[in-house]
Amino acid sequence: MAASLSHARLLLLLVFTNSICYSEQLTSSQAQTLRKIQSLLNYPILLRTWNDNTDFCNTEPTSSVTVVCYEDSITQLHIIGERGAPPLPRNFSIDSFFATLVELPSIKVLTLVSIGLRGQLPGTISQLEMLEILNISSNFFHGAIPQELSKLRNLQTLILDKNMFHSRFPDGIGTLSLLAVLSVRKNRLNASLPESLGQLENLRVLDLSHNKLIGELPDISTLRHLQVLDLEDNLLGPQFPKIGSKKLVTLILRKNKFNSGIPEKLHSLNHLQRLDISFNRFVGPFPSSVLSLPSITYLNIEGNKFTGMLSENMSCNPQLEMVDLTGNFLTGRLPSCLHYNPKVRVVSYARNCLSGEDKSQRPVSFCRNEALAVGIVPHLHKSKQASIHVLALSISAGIVGAVVLVVIVFLTVRRLHPKRMVKSPPTRLIQGNASTGYTLKMLQDARSITQAMKLGAVSAPAYRTFSLKEIEDATNNFDTCGFVDKGSYGQMYIGELKDGSLVAIRCLNINKRQRNQSFMNHIEIISKLRHQHLVSALGHCFDYCLDDSSLSRIFLVFEYEQNGTLRDWISEGRDKKTLTWSQRIAAAVGIAKGLQFLHTGVVPGVFALKLKTTDILLDLNFVAKISIHNLPLLTENIGKVGSQILSAGSKEVDNARSRHPEKFDIYDLGIILLEIMVGKHTNNNNEVKNAKIQLETSTSSNIAARNSMVDPTVKESYSDESLKTVIQICSRCLLENPDDRPSIEDVLWNLQFAAQVQDFSQSNEGSPASPTEPPQQTTV
């Protein structure tokens, strides 16, 4: 007997040792990749703390270096050096560097700024298929931007500023359908822009300033969500850009070769705040209406050839801070609303022909003559016009005749020499096979899904990234009719997707002081929470600030359960029917199963949920689902992924929380069971304590004592054995000492027993009617 026990212990020790070795192997693989990156970067000062003992996933992030992990994979890497950092030595290999980076295929956010990277950006970057944000600005990349970037289909932000990229822009850029921010300023791009740029329908920010781009800007009228367009210091022109977005906030065309007039659509840009079209050759009348655009604060038209007469009674937006009209051919008088007042705004208007102003103005005759030269063509005499038309017709007829003659000669030669006419084979377009992608994410999910999850798995739609346009369309541009509530976790809207399905959309406003990794961790967690008793998350959407392209809002999209909350169906004093006892027990069983999954179905478990009956939603079949809309994960007090750090208390309480964090969810489940039985909300701890005393007393009393506690709407519809079982497990859940509370498996077993007893009782008496007239969902 002792020998067999010794063998069992040895076997257990070997299994435990193997599991530790496997975990260390995974950790070592991640650490080895980062240490290799440190070596390839020539051991920079900002990575001086990295060594063989560094726990990268739990290292405190700094403004220079941040590593974010989820499970055993790195999802974010931020390395930001000092401004003006010199290039790495000539023996640095950019190919080796990115060959090492692709060993982190789960990375979603990659920031490599001012660390001296040099060379051509290799096409192997396309192997980082999960990338959502890429920022490699302020380095020494040269050559063309690789076509392989167009394979990063999840990319939402691409920042290549302050490098030495030249040649053309990738033609396949239009395939990045989720791209919201595209910034390639201060490079050496010296070709025309591809037409595919107009396919980026979700683009919000387009900054191509300080390059040498030439030719016409492609048609971007389809970019209806564009908010920032900055083309400063290029060679673009001559036509004004075809802009279709009415959401434009910033439009900068400064220092280009535009020489057309200003389109009327500019007057309808009610969100436009900054307009800079200076140092071009724009002609025609100055559109004075831009002075009174409702949002305009900055206007600069210096160095153009605008004509027109201004008047003193013209109106302007009182929010205007800077107006520069210098160097045009304007006449009349400066509007009174623009008179110089340094405390309100700065106004410049030299080198025009304005009367009543200082000596920096030119004579009125000068502006009139220049206006005739550049903008107003004198009417020709009718006879001259007629002769010009005749000449044009004659030339056209001659050209047509010549073309017809060439066609006749060609056909004649072809008939006489048919064998010599050899048809050349069509040019074949060769397209490489698309990468099938990595399956590491699938393997991660498989590792984190236990048998508990597989038993409760649901066929919910796959989690995906939504575009901001989809969110706006679903909510009808955030119409107040779809607004549900505003809580500590942001605003909630009810929306409808294109396929007709209803969704709940939570809008989270991001404070710049908050850490981005907290949000990414939250998204990583909720994307994996799939269970028949959880409200599934369907996806997310990022929105960005206009000034610095930082994250400003996150939209989380969830299933919408039309039968409202559990509290809606157990509250007293309702006109409509409430849930029957059987339905209440079924709901309690569902909550326990969902809670069990959150504790044990994902690794690491999710605790400290602070569940209430308003967090339990009912679907059309009255199946209870725990709402993950308000899971208290997305806060500044997040420790390890999946483990919420609770508010501080006594040392005993804190120790209990660290030992058994799940027992505090058991207490909340006890309160939910209490409300399910009594049919009303418990408002404070005193009510809970009094109810707990009644529960403990009723278990040893007669049936009448237990009946007096139960919601009157379900009396005489339950068996005493079922009620007694629920009362007993509820009492244990509400015990003061967390260590004395039951496990979630114990709670689930008792609730399932209570349901079986109730089913047996109903089989002899018949089932009560189901509730009708489901209420509107008022809170989620």
Side-chain angles (χ1 to χ4, degrees):
M1 181 69 181
S4 62
L5 183 60
S6 176
H7 286 305
R9 289 177 176 175
L10 179 60
L11 179 61
L12 182 62
L13 180 61
L14 288 174
V15 172
F16 181 70
T17 304
N18 287 337
S19 66
I20 292 177
C21 293
Y22 177 68
S23 175
E24 288 181 349
Q25 183 179 0
L26 292 174
T27 304
S28 175
S29 174
Q30 297 290 313
Q32 184 178 1
T33 301
L34 291 180
R35 292 279 284 141
K36 187 175 180 181
I37 289 174
Q38 180 190 32
S39 173
L40 291 171
L41 292 177
N42 203 24
Y43 297 95
I45 296 178
L46 68 164
L47 302 182
R48 63 181 179 275
T49 60
W50 286 8
N51 54 55
D52 293 335
N53 299 320
T54 301
D55 184 0
F56 292 101
C57 294
N58 292 292
T59 301
E60 185 68 21
T62 68
S63 59
S64 299
V65 181
T66 300
V67 179
V68 179
C69 305
Y70 181 75
E71 296 178 351
D72 56 358
S73 296
I74 294 174
T75 57
Q76 294 188 51
L77 176 61
H78 305 260
I79 305 177
I80 304 174
E82 295 290 336
R83 181 179 298 181
L88 290 165
R90 291 187 177 275
N91 61 357
F92 169 75
S93 172
I94 193 66
D95 292 322
S96 298
F97 181 79
F98 274 89
T100 304
L101 271 178
V102 299
E103 295 176 11
L104 307 174
S106 296
I107 201 162
K108 292 187 176 182
V109 181
L110 180 60
T111 303
L112 304 171
V113 175
S114 296
I115 57 176
L117 297 177
R118 63 189 303 169
Q120 291 188 334
L121 184 62
T124 52
I125 193 173
S126 63
Q127 297 180 33
L128 298 174
E129 294 184 334
M130 297 180 67
L131 264 184
E132 295 182 4
I133 299 175
L134 174 62
N135 183 355
I136 55 173
S137 59
S138 300
N139 284 290
F140 299 90
F141 288 103
H142 61 80
I145 300 173
Q147 292 283 351
E148 287 82 358
L149 274 178
S150 60
K151 296 180 181 179
L152 299 175
R153 301 302 172 87
N154 293 314
L155 203 60
Q156 300 176 37
T157 297
L158 177 60
I159 303 176
L160 310 176
D161 299 344
K162 298 181 181 179
N163 281 284
M164 296 180 288
F165 288 111
H166 61 78
S167 189
R168 283 184 57 82
F169 218 83
D171 291 327
I173 190 71
T175 61
L176 301 179
S177 59
L178 299 178
L179 199 63
V181 176
L182 175 58
S183 184
V184 199
R185 62 190 181 92
K186 293 189 177 180
N187 278 272
R188 300 176 181 178
L189 300 178
N190 54 2
S192 58
L193 290 167
E195 293 294 331
S196 59
L197 196 66
Q199 300 173 14
L200 301 175
E201 295 184 358
N202 289 303
L203 202 62
R204 264 65 181 170
V205 177
L206 177 59
D207 189 344
L208 305 176
S209 59
H210 303 286
N211 284 278
K212 298 299 177 184
L213 295 168
I214 62 174
E216 294 281 6
L217 187 71
D219 186 352
I220 56 172
S221 59
T222 56
L223 309 186
R224 303 192 181 279
H225 302 283
L226 193 64
Q227 295 171 294
V228 174
L229 177 60
D230 190 347
L231 304 175
E232 180 179 355
D233 195 13
N234 281 284
L235 302 172
L236 297 169
Q239 297 299 316
F240 197 92
K242 296 178 181 178
I243 299 172
S245 174
K246 293 185 178 180
K247 302 178 181 180
L248 206 62
V249 174
T250 299
L251 176 58
I252 300 178
L253 306 179
R254 177 183 172 90
K255 292 186 178 180
N256 276 279
K257 291 189 173 183
F258 296 105
N259 59 17
S260 60
I262 302 297
E264 293 184 0
K265 288 185 178 180
L266 191 67
H267 308 159
S268 62
L269 299 179
N270 293 330
H271 297 283
L272 190 63
Q273 298 177 12
R274 185 180 182 90
L275 175 62
D276 190 343
I277 56 176
S278 59
F279 299 105
N280 284 277
R281 294 187 178 183
F282 284 112
V283 298
F286 166 62
S288 57
S289 58
V290 298
L291 291 169
S292 57
L293 286 175
S295 302
I296 194 75
T297 60
Y298 182 100
L299 173 63
N300 190 348
I301 65 168
E302 180 183 2
N304 285 286
K305 297 183 178 182
F306 284 115
T307 61
M309 179 176 291
L310 304 182
S311 63
E312 289 182 310
N313 58 0
M314 283 182 174
S315 60
C316 58
N317 190 324
Q319 298 178 353
L320 268 173
E321 298 174 357
M322 204 289 291
V323 177
D324 195 339
L325 310 176
T326 304
N328 285 278
F329 306 138
L330 302 176
T331 59
R333 289 184 176 273
L334 190 71
S336 57
C337 61
L338 294 182
H339 280 296
Y340 182 74
N341 186 344
K343 294 183 180 180
V344 178
R345 65 178 60 94
V346 176
V347 179
S348 301
Y349 50 88
R351 299 197 306 279
N352 282 284
C353 300
L354 299 173
S355 58
E357 302 300 334
D358 55 35
K359 295 181 180 180
S360 63
Q361 300 300 307
R362 295 162 172 164
V364 175
S365 58
F366 173 83
C367 289
R368 289 177 178 174
N369 292 335
E370 293 295 330
L372 291 174
V374 301
I376 304 175
V377 181
H379 291 289
L380 298 175
H381 193 270
K382 290 184 179 180
S383 61
K384 291 185 179 180
Q385 288 184 350
S387 62
I388 291 175
H389 288 312
V390 171
L391 179 60
L393 289 174
S394 300
I395 294 173
S396 300
I399 293 174
V400 172
V403 171
V404 172
L405 180 61
V406 170
V407 171
I408 293 173
V409 172
F410 174 78
L411 293 176
T412 303
V413 172
R414 184 175 182 180
R415 287 184 179 181
L416 293 175
H417 306 282
K419 294 182 180 181
R420 295 184 181 180
M421 304 300 292
V422 180
K423 186 177 181 181
S424 61
T427 303
R428 298 183 61 186
L429 298 178
I430 302 175
Q431 183 177 2
N433 293 329
S435 173
T436 56
Y438 287 82
T439 60
L440 180 59
K441 186 175 187 300
M442 298 170 61
L443 296 175
Q444 286 178 341
D445 292 345
R447 285 199 298 273
S448 65
I449 298 174
T450 64
Q451 187 64 25
M453 182 176 185
K454 293 176 182 177
L455 293 175
V458 293
S459 57
Y463 189 93
R464 68 184 181 90
T465 301
F466 286 82
S467 67
L468 186 56
K469 183 178 184 301
E470 289 179 286
I471 301 296
E472 291 173 342
D473 291 344
T475 59
N476 194 18
N477 286 324
F478 304 102
D479 194 308
T480 53
C481 295
F483 181 77
V484 179
D485 76 327
K486 181 178 181 181
S488 59
Y489 296 97
Q491 301 85 17
M492 176 70 79
Y493 293 86
I494 302 304
E496 182 177 355
L497 300 179
K498 286 186 178 180
D499 61 3
S501 58
L502 294 177
V503 291
I505 301 175
R506 174 71 74 188
C507 173
L508 303 162
N509 294 313
I510 307 304
N511 189 318
K512 291 186 179 181
R513 291 173 296 178
Q514 293 173 304
R515 296 176 182 170
N516 285 344
Q517 61 263 33
S518 299
F519 311 126
M520 297 302 296
N521 291 342
H522 183 78
I523 289 173
E524 289 281 1
I525 294 169
I526 66 172
S527 66
K528 292 181 172 62
L529 299 184
R530 287 289 198 272
H531 192 273
Q532 64 181 359
H533 293 293
L534 295 183
V535 177
S536 295
L538 304 181
H540 71 272
C541 170
F542 291 146
D543 191 19
Y544 302 90
C545 293
L546 299 180
D547 51 355
D548 58 1
S549 301
S550 61
L551 193 62
S552 63
R553 291 186 298 179
I554 298 178
F555 298 96
L556 301 176
V557 183
F558 302 93
E559 292 178 306
Y560 176 71
E561 308 302 342
Q562 300 184 44
N563 260 344
T565 70
L566 178 61
R567 184 175 296 178
D568 290 334
W569 287 94
I570 61 175
S571 299
E572 61 181 0
R574 298 180 62 90
D575 295 332
K576 58 182 71 63
K577 293 182 180 180
T578 61
L579 294 181
T580 64
W581 179 257
S582 295
Q583 290 171 321
R584 296 186 188 208
I585 299 305
V589 170
I591 299 168
K593 287 182 177 179
L595 197 57
Q596 181 191 37
F597 167 71
L598 290 172
H599 287 178
T600 63
V602 290
V603 180
V606 181
F607 308 104
L609 306 175
K610 302 180 182 179
L611 288 181
K612 304 179 291 296
T613 50
T614 52
D615 296 319
I616 311 302
L617 305 182
L618 303 177
D619 68 8
L620 290 176
N621 297 317
F622 294 95
V623 174
K625 294 188 175 185
I626 297 176
S627 167
I628 62 173
H629 305 161
N630 297 332
L631 285 186
L633 300 171
L634 203 145
T635 68
E636 284 299 304
N637 295 322
I638 292 184
K640 293 183 179 180
V641 176
S643 299
Q644 171 70 20
I645 298 177
L646 302 174
S647 57
S650 65
K651 289 185 178 180
E652 292 78 6
V653 173
D654 289 341
N655 290 334
R657 283 172 175 163
S658 61
R659 290 197 309 272
H660 303 295
E662 73 280 2
K663 294 301 180 73
F664 290 84
D665 290 327
I666 296 296
Y667 182 87
D668 294 334
L669 179 57
I671 295 179
I672 292 175
L673 294 176
L674 177 62
E675 294 186 10
I676 285 177
M677 285 188 291
V678 302
K680 62 181 180 180
H681 174 52
T682 52
N683 295 313
N684 52 56
N685 291 332
N686 290 332
E687 289 186 10
V688 175
K689 290 180 181 180
N690 294 334
K692 180 175 174 294
I693 294 173
Q694 286 183 284
L695 291 175
E696 292 172 346
T697 304
S698 65
T699 54
S700 58
S701 302
N702 53 27
I703 297 177
R706 288 191 286 274
N707 290 343
S708 64
M709 294 187 59
V710 182
D711 183 358
T713 60
V714 295
K715 280 186 176 180
E716 301 179 0
S717 68
Y718 53 82
S719 71
D720 182 62
E721 187 67 23
S722 176
L723 173 61
K724 187 175 181 180
T725 303
V726 176
I727 289 177
Q728 288 174 340
I729 194 63
C730 180
S731 299
R732 293 174 59 197
C733 290
L734 297 176
L735 290 174
E736 186 173 349
N737 187 351
D739 293 335
D740 295 335
R741 296 168 193 163
S743 66
I744 186 61
E745 289 75 19
D746 193 4
V747 175
L748 182 57
W749 188 94
N750 280 273
L751 292 176
Q752 288 175 327
F753 176 77
Q756 291 174 354
V757 171
Q758 182 64 25
D759 290 342
F760 178 78
S761 173
Q762 285 184 357
S763 64
N764 297 324
E765 301 177 4
S767 300
S770 299
T772 59
E773 302 178 11
Q776 297 295 319
Q777 185 169 348
T778 56
T779 182
V780 276

